[in-house]
Amino acid sequence: MRSIPRMAAAVAALALAAACGSTETAAPAAPAPGVSGFTPPKIDALASLGAGEGQVNLVAWAGYVEDGSTDPKVDWVTEFESSTGCQVNTKTAGTSDEMVNLMKTGEYDAVSASGDASLRLIAAGDVAPVNTSLIPNYADVFPGLKDKPWNSVGGVSYGVPHGRGANLLMWRTDTVNPAPDSWGVVFDPASPYKGKVTAYDSPIYIADAAVYLMSTKPELGIKNPYALDDTQFQAAVDLLKQQRTIIGEYWSDYTKEIQAFKSGDSVVGTTWQVIANLATAEKAPIEVTLPKEGATGWSDTWMVAAAAKHPNCAYRWLDWIISPKANAQVAEWFGEAPSNSKSCAETADPKHCDTFHATDEDYFSKVYYWTTPIPQCLDGRTDVTCKDYAEWTRAWTEIKG
């Protein structure tokens, strides 16, 4: 695993990122792009770019909008502000549910939405289609990230890809032996690590169980971990209820997982690369891998609020954050593959794009990007109804007890 610049100073800020996750029931998710019957609310994209409004209010994941306050050497905001005249105000969110709820307030202009939030935002009319002709750097985004089910509907783009990465398996090298190559280590009810297994605290984690079942129980016929019929869904829920008996704690707070691995309270579980980077910087003896069954992952999308008060500054931000230099900076800091193909020539570490498989579509073919579960099955089946996000949310509450 690659070590990135020390980010210990980020820990205090990250503690706030998950402090106010929503407990509200999720709104019904939108059907998938191309599914009969789904018509997004009629909202026009910005037709032309006007003068900047002087500021832009963003909702973002921690590490996506850095202005030097975390680390003076990590700053892609100051140059944006000076070159555009748009002052950046950022609200860091810790979960996708929190992002959805924040965007409903009407106080924010743009959001870095993951795939388990994007369709909900589109269906609710909280975000608008994006006129990519007003975003010059969009032309250089990897084709594998454009026009995907989590960022487009019916061929209409609703945002620009920020980057992508996989949800990984992390373990303490001084405790977990041999080094695991399968998610089985976190699902084994007889695990020797009982009480020290950790998992991501979100309904979307049901998809991680589905990925494991795709490989271990092929008779279930799961083809897409976000398209689960009654039988498939129940199998995933049952697996997670079984896993609950060996879980020490669920995490949604960066700092808690880092500290748990440092102290040994957690020794194996799901993680993000940025957490592994921070844990390594904090001297925790950890390693990560993409397990043989594959993994869930993310391809976040910068989306513009339908009622944005500062749309021109928002568009300028979307173009800036996917520009080669800025996109390279955020990709290295966060620990992910950039979305702009030209960013690979701008990274401080010349091997960054190789390390994070930026151009390796075979690697990412094993990653199932977060996508909002909907009743119309995303795998194309029409003879069954799949469980939607609201049902995933109810099941998650039941799983955790």
Side-chain angles (χ1 to χ4, degrees), residues 4 7 9-19 58-67 70 74 76 90-96 98-99 111-112 114 162 251-255 258 272-275 278 298 300 302 329-336:
I4 65 173
M7 292 186 282
V11 171
L14 292 173
L16 298 175
L58 308 176
V59 176
W61 294 110
Y64 275 17
V65 186
E66 292 292 326
D67 62 2
T70 299
V74 181
W76 48 89
T90 307
K91 170 65 176 178
T92 301
T95 68
S96 288
E98 185 183 356
M99 286 187 172
V111 58
S112 62
S114 291
H162 171 95
W251 68 270
S252 61
D253 183 331
Y254 275 66
T255 57
I258 294 165
W272 300 336
Q273 186 67 56
V274 65
I275 296 175
L278 285 164
W298 73 90
D300 294 341
W302 280 99
Q329 288 175 296
V330 68
E332 285 199 280
W333 178 250
F334 190 79
E336 64 184 347

Side-chain angles (χ1 to χ4, degrees), residues 158-218:
Y158 276 79
V160 298
H162 171 95
R164 55 180 167 176
N167 294 316
L168 304 171
L169 176 63
M170 182 163 72
W171 69 96
R172 277 187 65 112
T173 56
D174 61 350
T175 307
V176 179
N177 291 295
D181 65 354
S182 167
W183 288 115
V185 70
V186 302
F187 289 118
D188 180 4
S191 172
Y193 313 113
K194 182 177 181 179
K196 296 191 174 184
V197 176
T198 189
Y200 185 49
D201 189 1
S202 170
I204 207 67
Y205 184 67
I206 294 172
D208 291 62
V211 168
Y212 181 65
L213 291 172
M214 288 171 69
S215 176
T216 59
K217 290 192 175 182

Side-chain angles (χ1 to χ4, degrees), residues 67-318:
D67 62 2
S69 58
T70 299
D71 183 327
K73 297 179 181 178
V74 181
D75 182 1
W76 48 89
V77 169
T78 300
E79 185 178 349
F80 168 78
E81 291 177 329
S82 62
S83 64
T84 65
C86 300
Q87 176 71 37
V88 175
N89 307 305
T90 307
K91 170 65 176 178
T92 301
T95 68
S96 288
D97 284 353
E98 185 183 356
M99 286 187 172
V100 169
N101 289 327
L102 286 169
M103 289 303 289
K104 289 183 182 300
T105 68
E107 297 176 7
Y108 300 96
D109 302 303
V111 58
S112 62
S114 291
D116 57 334
S118 54
L119 287 185
R120 285 188 277 162
L121 292 167
I122 294 169
D126 293 325
V127 295
V130 166
N131 184 348
T132 57
S133 69
L134 302 180
I135 305 172
N137 285 302
Y138 184 77
D140 298 316
V141 169
F142 285 108
L145 292 175
K146 294 180 177 179
D147 302 319
K148 296 302 178 182
W150 55 87
N151 60 31
S152 301
V153 175
V156 177
S157 295
Y158 276 79
V160 298
H162 171 95
R164 55 180 167 176
N167 294 316
L168 304 171
L169 176 63
M170 182 163 72
W171 69 96
R172 277 187 65 112
T173 56
D174 61 350
T175 307
V176 179
N177 291 295
D181 65 354
S182 167
W183 288 115
V185 70
V186 302
F187 289 118
D188 180 4
S191 172
Y193 313 113
K194 182 177 181 179
K196 296 191 174 184
V197 176
T198 189
Y200 185 49
D201 189 1
S202 170
I204 207 67
Y205 184 67
I206 294 172
D208 291 62
V211 168
Y212 181 65
L213 291 172
M214 288 171 69
S215 176
T216 59
K217 290 192 175 182
E219 64 271 18
L220 287 170
I222 299 173
K223 303 300 182 184
N224 182 322
Y226 307 100
L228 304 178
D229 61 31
D230 288 344
T231 300
Q232 296 165 339
F233 187 75
Q234 191 59 52
V237 169
D238 288 345
L239 178 61
L240 290 167
K241 286 181 177 179
Q242 176 180 282
Q243 184 199 45
R244 179 70 183 90
T245 65
I246 64 171
I247 291 287
E249 65 177 1
Y250 294 96
W251 68 270
S252 61
D253 183 331
Y254 275 66
T255 57
K256 287 184 178 179
E257 188 177 37
I258 294 165
Q259 293 305 316
F261 271 87
K262 280 183 65 180
S263 68
D265 288 342
S266 292
V267 301
V268 65
T270 185
T271 197
W272 300 336
Q273 186 67 56
V274 65
I275 296 175
N277 294 340
L278 285 164
T280 297
E282 292 290 309
K283 308 301 184 184
I286 60 92
E287 288 288 348
V288 294
T289 191
L290 178 69
K292 61 186 179 183
E293 298 91 359
T296 58
W298 73 90
S299 173
D300 294 341
T301 304
W302 280 99
M303 312 179 88
V304 176
K309 296 181 176 66
H310 314 104
N312 294 290
C313 279
Y315 264 73
R316 285 173 169 83
W317 173 258
L318 264 62

